[in-house]
Amino acid sequence: MRTFTFCTLASLAVLSSAITAKALTSSHQHAALTDVSATAASRTALGPAIPLAHGLVQVQVTSVGTRIMDIVAVQLPHDNNHSWDDSLHAAAVLRSEILSKQRTDVDVVSGATYTSEGYLESLNAALDVAVPNAPKMSPTPMS
């Protein structure tokens, strides 16, 4: 019984610190422009690492003017095979949707809601640096 109580308390402490860290950090402070190419007028920005229960989500975006040219998931939750598979799937779906629609107000991926929200948060912070006039997100769960 003591081991169970200790594990429960340790888990709560880790979760509490992750929530506190997320609450205390502003994503816009950590986004950074990582590359500017004068010849192609492209800009690449790295969004902040967003802490989740199963790991971090961090996204890099490349743009030309106001057009989103590429999105790379630099970090995804991977503390176990299930979260890694869900994260890879969510990142691929979100990348495809955002590149197609050229905006970030897309649906979160079912089964990967937190990863989707972290991805969009990191992406929007990166877009604020790379493309200051980019459309903002308004994620809605898929039915």
Side-chain angles (χ1 to χ4, degrees):
M1 182 67 173
R2 286 182 189 199
T3 303
F4 175 76
T5 302
F6 175 75
C7 290
T8 301
L9 290 175
S11 296
L12 288 174
V14 170
L15 183 58
S16 174
S17 65
I19 291 169
T20 302
K22 185 172 181 179
L24 294 176
T25 57
S26 169
S27 61
H28 298 288
Q29 293 176 353
H30 299 288
L33 194 60
T34 57
D35 185 38
V36 178
S37 169
T39 57
S42 70
R43 295 168 61 99
T44 300
L46 181 64
I50 307 299
L52 302 176
H54 294 284
L56 299 171
V57 177
Q58 187 173 30
V59 178
Q60 178 177 290
V61 64
T62 300
S63 65
V64 173
T66 59
R67 184 157 182 81
I68 302 168
M69 301 304 292
D70 194 19
I71 304 166
V72 177
V74 177
Q75 293 187 74
L76 291 171
H78 60 278
D79 69 335
N80 62 61
N81 288 340
H82 180 70
S83 63
W84 179 244
D85 291 342
D86 287 350
S87 296
L88 287 174
H89 173 71
V93 169
L94 292 168
R95 180 182 184 276
S96 175
E97 290 273 323
I98 293 164
L99 289 176
S100 172
K101 294 180 178 180
Q102 287 295 301
R103 61 178 199 259
T104 61
D105 61 340
V106 297
D107 292 333
V108 298
V109 178
S110 180
T113 302
Y114 296 124
T115 299
S116 298
E117 289 171 349
Y119 184 102
L120 293 171
E121 183 178 341
S122 183
L123 176 61
N124 276 307
L127 284 170
D128 284 345
V129 174
V131 187
N133 299 323
K136 299 299 174 205
M137 79 170 187
S138 175
T140 53
M142 295 176 69
S143 304

